[in-house]
Amino acid sequence: MGITKTEIFNDKQNQLASMMKALAHPARIAIIQHLIKIDSCICGDLVEELGLAQPTISQHLKELKNIGLIQGTIEGTSVCYCIDPKVWKQFKTSFDTFFVRYDISGNCC
């Protein structure tokens, strides 16, 4: 199995790839959309909302938390998650910058 050579890419390319990887699952997109809609959530609510098993939801929450896109606070035996506004803004800026660099001219293939 080959190794990834992330060191040959610049920091911004690696960061953007990590952001996209964190969002590259429909369950994670659904979690983010749900958190945006209700502005916070308990993990058990996501199980009911998405119809996935609690361990599956927890794994997806872990991936989103690892990239910093969500944050959680402990409330008794549950964890309440929400979007981290600072990181959300960073994601938005990175994606906006990435997607506006190409002007569609209609001259391709």
Side-chain angles (χ1 to χ4, degrees):
M1 182 189 264
I3 61 169
T4 58
K5 296 186 177 182
T6 56
E7 67 274 359
I8 67 172
F9 303 104
N10 67 41
D11 289 341
K12 287 189 178 197
Q13 290 167 330
N14 283 312
Q15 182 182 22
L16 187 60
S18 293
M19 291 174 174
M20 290 181 171
K21 183 179 178 184
L23 295 174
H25 193 287
R28 294 183 199 147
I29 298 294
I31 289 169
I32 294 297
Q33 289 173 325
H34 186 68
L35 291 175
I36 289 168
K37 182 174 84 175
I38 66 166
D39 201 29
S40 68
C41 186
I42 303 296
C43 185
D45 295 342
L46 287 168
V47 171
E48 292 174 24
E49 178 72 21
L50 301 179
L52 297 172
Q54 192 278 327
T56 303
I57 296 288
S58 292
Q59 183 61 38
H60 289 300
L61 288 168
K62 178 183 172 188
E63 293 298 323
L64 293 169
K65 194 167 182 180
N66 284 344
I67 196 71
L69 191 54
I70 63 171
Q71 55 191 358
T73 57
I74 298 172
E75 294 179 358
T77 59
S78 298
V79 180
C80 182
Y81 292 97
C82 63
I83 303 289
D84 184 319
K86 180 180 169 192
V87 177
W88 182 262
K89 186 176 180 179
Q90 291 171 346
F91 267 53
K92 183 178 180 337
T93 300
S94 294
F95 287 139
D96 287 349
T97 301
F98 179 74
F99 283 109
V100 299
R101 292 192 183 217
Y102 177 68
D103 291 323
I104 301 171
S105 64
N107 294 330
C108 183
C109 308

